[in-house]
Amino acid sequence: MNRISIVGAGPGAPDLLTIRAQNRIQNADVLIWADSLVSPEIIEMVPKSCEIIPTSSLTLEKILPLLIDRFNQGKKIVRLHDGDPCLYGALSEQICRLNDVDIEVEVVPGLSAYQATAASLKAELTIPGLVQTIIISRASGRTGKPYKENLRDLAALGASLCLYLSARHVEEVQEELLKHYPAETPVAIGYRISWPDEWLEIVPLQDMAKTSKKQKLIRTTIYLVSPALKRSRKRSRLYAEDHSHLFRQRKGP
Ligand SMILES: C[S@@+](CC[C@H](N)C(=O)[O-])C[C@H]1O[C@@H](n2cnc3c(N)ncnc32)[C@H](O)[C@@H]1O
C-alpha cells in the first residue's frame, strides 16, 4: 500500500538521522522539505532522479495539492520536517487533510532539538530528588498558545523547561521566568545544535536575554532552563544497593 512518509530529520547533523529516516530519504521519488530548518546535507542523500521541493515560501494550500498530485502518480513521497515531527511541525493539519482524501501516512520519528542540546551539554534533565519533569513549550507568539499555558505558571513547577521558537521574545520570556525560578538558575542557550556553526552556552537566567541579544539570536535557538544543569551527584534509586527490582535483588539485610 502506498502512503506518504512524514519524516523527522533530527536537529541538523545527517548522522543524527534514524536509520529508518535515512532509508525513506534514500528511496524517495519526491522530497518536500522544510528548507529553512533542515540541513541541506541531508537532502544530498536523495536519489539523482528525486524531485526536491522546498516549502519555506509555500502555504498549506500550496503544499497539499503537491502531496496529493505526486501521491496519485504513485510516487514515493517524503515530507521532511526538522527535529521530531510531533513538535511544532504542523503535523496534525496535514494528516487530517490527507486522510480526508483517503491518503495514508506513516510518521518516522526524529531526534528533537532539546534532546540534541542535552546531549551536547552531556546533561541529564531528570535528576532524582531535584527535577523529574520536563516541560516543552514556547513563548506566546503569534500562534495560538492557550493562556492557561502561560510561562509564569509553567515556571512555578521549577521543572526542566525546554523553550522552542522563543528567541524573538526573549526579554518577556526572561521576565516571566524570573517570577518563579531563582535568578541564578542555569539556562542553556543553543543555536543550530549539531550544525557546523553550533553555538551553545550556559548562563544564569538573569543573563538569558542579554546574552541572546549579544549573540543576535533570532532563529533556530532553543533554551533549556533547568536546575539540573548544575552538575549533581544525587543518586537514583535505580542503581542503589538497597533497592531491589524485577532484574536485581537488593544486597544486604
Ligand atoms: C518549527 S520548530 C520545530 C521543532 C522540531 N520539530 C524539533 O523537534 O526540534 C523550530 C524550532 O525548533 C528549535 N530548533 C530546531 N532545530 C534546532 C537546532 N538544531 N538547534 C537549536 N534549536 C533548534 C528552535 O527553537 C526552532 O525555532
Side-chain angles (χ1 to χ4, degrees):
M1 187 192 58
N2 199 8
R3 60 191 176 174
I4 292 178
S5 300
I6 299 182
V7 175
D15 59 352
L16 289 178
L17 281 172
T18 65
I19 293 172
R20 190 179 299 179
Q22 183 179 9
N23 176 283
R24 297 296 182 273
I25 294 167
Q26 286 176 336
N27 288 292
D29 297 318
V30 182
L31 183 112
I32 302 187
W33 69 302
D35 53 309
S36 58
L37 286 158
V38 174
S39 164
E41 275 186 73
I42 290 175
I43 309 312
E44 286 168 17
M45 294 177 177
V46 297
K48 276 206 170 61
S49 57
C50 180
E51 180 186 13
I52 300 172
I53 305 173
T55 56
S56 60
S57 62
L58 302 182
T59 59
L60 181 62
E61 286 67 27
K62 288 259 159 53
I63 296 169
L64 266 181
L66 286 169
L67 288 166
I68 296 168
D69 176 68
R70 302 310 189 271
F71 179 84
N72 288 337
Q73 290 177 33
K75 302 268 172 85
K76 281 192 248 123
I77 304 169
V78 168
R79 173 75 176 102
L80 192 62
H81 287 276
D82 68 304
D84 187 275
C86 84
L87 292 174
Y88 310 114
L91 178 69
S92 178
E93 63 191 34
Q94 295 179 80
I95 293 182
C96 287
R97 286 164 178 80
L98 290 170
N99 287 169
D100 284 349
V101 291
D102 293 327
I103 295 179
E104 277 303 317
V105 303
E106 70 161 346
V107 177
V108 179
L111 194 69
S112 189
Y114 86 91
Q115 296 166 302
T117 306
S120 271
L121 292 164
K122 304 175 187 70
E124 176 182 353
L125 299 179
T126 54
I127 295 187
L130 184 64
V131 54
Q132 288 287 283
T133 302
I134 298 174
I135 299 174
I136 294 172
S137 195
R138 57 177 303 177
S140 321
R142 291 177 296 168
T143 53
K145 187 173 166 190
Y147 177 73
K148 62 181 186 207
E149 294 175 21
N150 66 74
L151 283 181
R152 196 176 337 142
D153 288 345
L154 297 183
L157 280 179
S160 288
L161 178 61
C162 309
L163 290 177
Y164 287 68
L165 298 155
S166 298
R168 279 178 202 276
H169 307 278
V170 66
E171 269 158 353
E172 63 202 66
V173 167
Q174 178 180 313
E175 200 182 313
E176 289 295 282
L177 297 183
L178 278 171
K179 293 187 176 135
H180 287 287
Y181 289 100
E184 65 282 1
T185 304
V187 178
I189 309 177
Y191 171 73
R192 302 236 293 183
I193 297 300
S194 88
W195 290 61
D197 57 349
E198 166 179 318
W199 179 87
L200 178 61
E201 202 165 294
I202 297 182
V203 302
L205 174 56
Q206 61 195 351
D207 294 341
M208 175 185 186
K210 188 175 74 182
T211 311
S212 304
K213 298 264 169 208
K214 191 169 148 222
Q215 285 298 124
K216 300 192 172 48
L217 300 176
I218 301 172
R219 300 181 58 237
T220 329
T221 302
I222 189 161
Y223 297 96
L224 303 192
V225 184
S226 177
L229 296 180
K230 281 188 200 139
R231 284 256 177 267
S232 168
R233 299 178 65 85
K234 279 183 196 275
R235 290 283 306 265
S236 70
R237 299 298 297 146
L238 187 61
Y239 297 109
E241 282 192 336
D242 62 347
H243 182 67
S244 64
H245 55 68
L246 192 58
F247 300 102
R248 197 190 64 230
Q249 288 306 306
R250 144 171 105 168
K251 267 194 185 171

